[in-house]
Amino acid sequence: MLRFYFEVARTAFRRQLIYRWANLAGLSANVFFAIIFSYVIIALYHASPTVAGYDVRDTLRYSWMMQAILMVVLPFGWNDLMQTIRTGDVVADLSKPCDFYFYWFSREMGRNVYYIFFRGIPTYVLGMLLFGLGLPLNWQAWLAYGLVLPFGAMLGVAYRILYNVVAFWIIEARAMITFAITIAQFLTGMYVPVPLLPAWLRAILNWLPFHGFMDLPVEVFLGKIAGGALWFEVARQFGWLIVLTMGVQLLTGIAKRRVVAQGG
């Protein structure tokens, strides 16, 4: 069965290779917005050399890495599952001799691997060329980043499947999807870096699942979280992954009992 899910992920990765021009357009959008954010950040830091322990270079690296992993964790407008529910094609997925959630999970993880290589790395490399961002110089930072980023990607998959399955109960779920992704991107630090937010708000956000999506991987990449604090954050991130996965499994289990397939 594990081989089946691996093949699903591999097929999803290969399917994405077809959309070269779409990826180039998306890459251009990521770089464009990262450049805009960069000049806003540079202007803001004229007023103060450091904010919450972040200097201008740290914040630039934070913003560019956010753009780099955006499509890996929280692709805007992802409604693939919702579309299958609206058209009725979801019946074919529910009829497959495999777990419905892990089938979609495998598909999205295959796409995530594609976006790491063809969207994430090129975006950050361009940021390095334009703003001299640099990279972590110690292997511990890379090892930690290699641990928390996959967990963040898995959290992102669980979250987007969660807000897509509401289409089983809501006829027009696109507004719900837009709301869910916008809230998530704000709370993960996509719009305003979480470390720059007020301390009381950061304390709340750190206990929400959104912290583990992108903010945690980026802070680890910058070397801001290490040692015992890192293992605590990983445990919290993994805990939320279990909670979201169980939530999706529960909802899909309820939905499967409500689905009525007509025709043949």
Side-chain angles (χ1 to χ4, degrees):
M1 185 58 71
L2 287 177
R3 182 176 178 181
F4 169 77
Y5 294 126
F6 175 79
E7 290 299 324
V8 170
R10 188 166 72 92
T11 301
F13 176 88
R14 295 178 62 185
R15 185 185 299 117
Q16 286 300 127
L17 292 172
I18 300 172
Y19 305 107
R20 299 183 183 89
W21 288 106
N23 184 68
L24 182 60
L27 176 61
S28 301
N30 284 135
V31 173
F32 174 76
F33 284 109
I35 291 174
I36 292 177
F37 289 150
S38 295
Y39 283 112
V40 171
I41 290 167
I42 291 171
L44 289 174
Y45 270 89
H46 281 305
S48 177
T50 59
V51 179
Y54 276 63
D55 58 20
V56 64
R57 187 167 178 267
D58 288 335
T59 310
L60 287 174
R61 293 171 70 189
Y62 186 103
S63 297
W64 277 89
M65 183 52 69
M66 277 286 180
Q67 287 292 331
I69 65 175
L70 173 61
M71 288 300 292
V72 177
V73 180
L74 285 173
F76 192 85
W78 186 85
N79 60 3
D80 295 13
L81 176 54
M82 184 206 74
Q83 293 294 343
T84 68
I85 296 171
R86 292 185 64 186
T87 61
D89 293 338
V90 71
V91 173
D93 295 335
L94 292 171
S95 302
K96 288 182 172 68
C98 63
D99 184 88
F100 176 77
Y101 169 74
F102 285 108
Y103 167 73
W104 277 93
F105 179 88
S106 301
R107 281 185 53 165
E108 291 310 299
M109 289 304 292
R111 284 163 49 121
N112 288 346
V113 173
Y114 169 86
Y115 281 123
I116 287 174
F117 288 103
F118 294 93
R119 186 72 68 85
I121 294 176
T123 297
Y124 194 79
V125 167
L126 286 171
M128 291 174 59
L129 294 175
L130 293 172
F131 294 93
L133 303 179
L135 291 168
L137 299 179
N138 60 81
W139 63 269
Q140 292 94 336
W142 284 108
L143 183 62
Y145 184 67
L147 175 65
V148 297
L149 179 60
F151 279 159
M154 293 177 192
L155 273 171
V157 172
Y159 180 68
R160 58 183 181 260
I161 293 177
L162 182 63
Y163 64 67
N164 267 253
V165 296
V166 299
F168 280 114
W169 291 274
I170 302 176
I171 295 177
E172 181 50 78
R174 286 178 296 184
M176 179 65 183
I177 289 174
T178 300
F179 175 77
I181 196 67
T182 301
I183 290 297
Q185 288 185 349
F186 175 77
L187 297 180
T188 56
M190 186 69 220
Y191 302 137
V192 179
V194 172
L196 305 187
L197 295 174
W200 65 268
L201 183 55
R202 291 202 310 271
I204 295 173
L205 295 183
N206 286 342
W207 282 99
L208 296 179
F210 306 105
H211 169 62
F213 286 22
M214 295 193 291
D215 177 59
L216 176 59
V218 174
E219 289 199 58
V220 169
F221 179 79
L222 296 178
K224 302 295 184 179
I225 301 176
L230 172 63
W231 292 112
F232 174 77
E233 293 291 352
V234 170
R236 184 160 57 183
Q237 187 186 39
F238 185 69
W240 274 115
L241 177 60
I242 293 174
V243 170
L244 288 184
T245 300
M246 292 177 62
V248 177
Q249 291 283 39
L250 176 63
L251 285 179
T252 53
I254 296 171
K256 282 191 286 187
R257 292 194 292 270
R258 294 170 55 90
V259 170
V260 177
Q262 297 179 342

